[in-house]
Every structure is written in C-alpha cells, then in structure tokens.
Amino acid sequence: NHPVSVAAEVQDFDASELLSQQDIKHNARFIQFARVAARKAYSTAGLEDVAIDPYQIGVSVSSSVGGIESLE
C-alpha cells in the first residue's frame, strides 16, 4: 500500500569481487550491498593511495530487523 517511484531488483550481484567467502557467509545480503558500495565509493574517491588513519573513517549501516535470512 506504499507508493514507490523508483524500485529495482538487484540481479547478478557477486560480492566475492570484494569480500571474502567468510564475510559473505556471515553477512546478510543487504550488508554485502552496503560493504561493496562503500568499498567502491572509497576507491572511486581515489582514497586507496592516500594515507588515512583507519580509525578516522567508517561506514554505519543499521537495520531494525536484519536481513530476510534472519526473518526466515
């Protein structure tokens, strides 16, 4: 009953390009999307060759329920 103006199904998503098999196994799919998107944003911004203190950068992702796998 909620109007949606933009929606799309993510198809052919392969998290193994940037995440280990262990990370894939232990992260819900929506977390995998967020982690891959953050990595790509970091790379696109050209930050891979910049000295950045890893304690001064981060990404916050939250969910009130978790992934669909948790509900199932």
Side-chain angles (χ1 to χ4, degrees):
N1 294 331
H2 300 287
V4 175
S5 59
V6 177
E9 178 182 355
V10 178
Q11 297 179 357
D12 302 324
F13 176 72
D14 183 10
S16 66
E17 175 185 334
L18 294 170
L19 301 177
S20 71
Q21 287 302 313
Q22 183 175 0
D23 285 339
I24 291 169
K25 180 181 177 182
H26 295 289
N27 284 233
R29 193 164 188 245
F30 80 99
I31 296 294
Q32 294 174 30
F33 291 152
R35 291 185 63 188
V36 168
R39 277 241 176 128
K40 288 188 176 191
Y42 184 84
S43 177
T44 300
L47 297 175
E48 292 175 330
D49 297 326
V50 177
I52 296 177
D53 181 348
Y55 295 101
Q56 297 297 314
I57 189 169
V59 174
S60 176
V61 177
S62 67
S63 170
S64 62
V65 178
I68 190 71
E69 300 89 354
S70 301
L71 295 173
E72 291 178 341

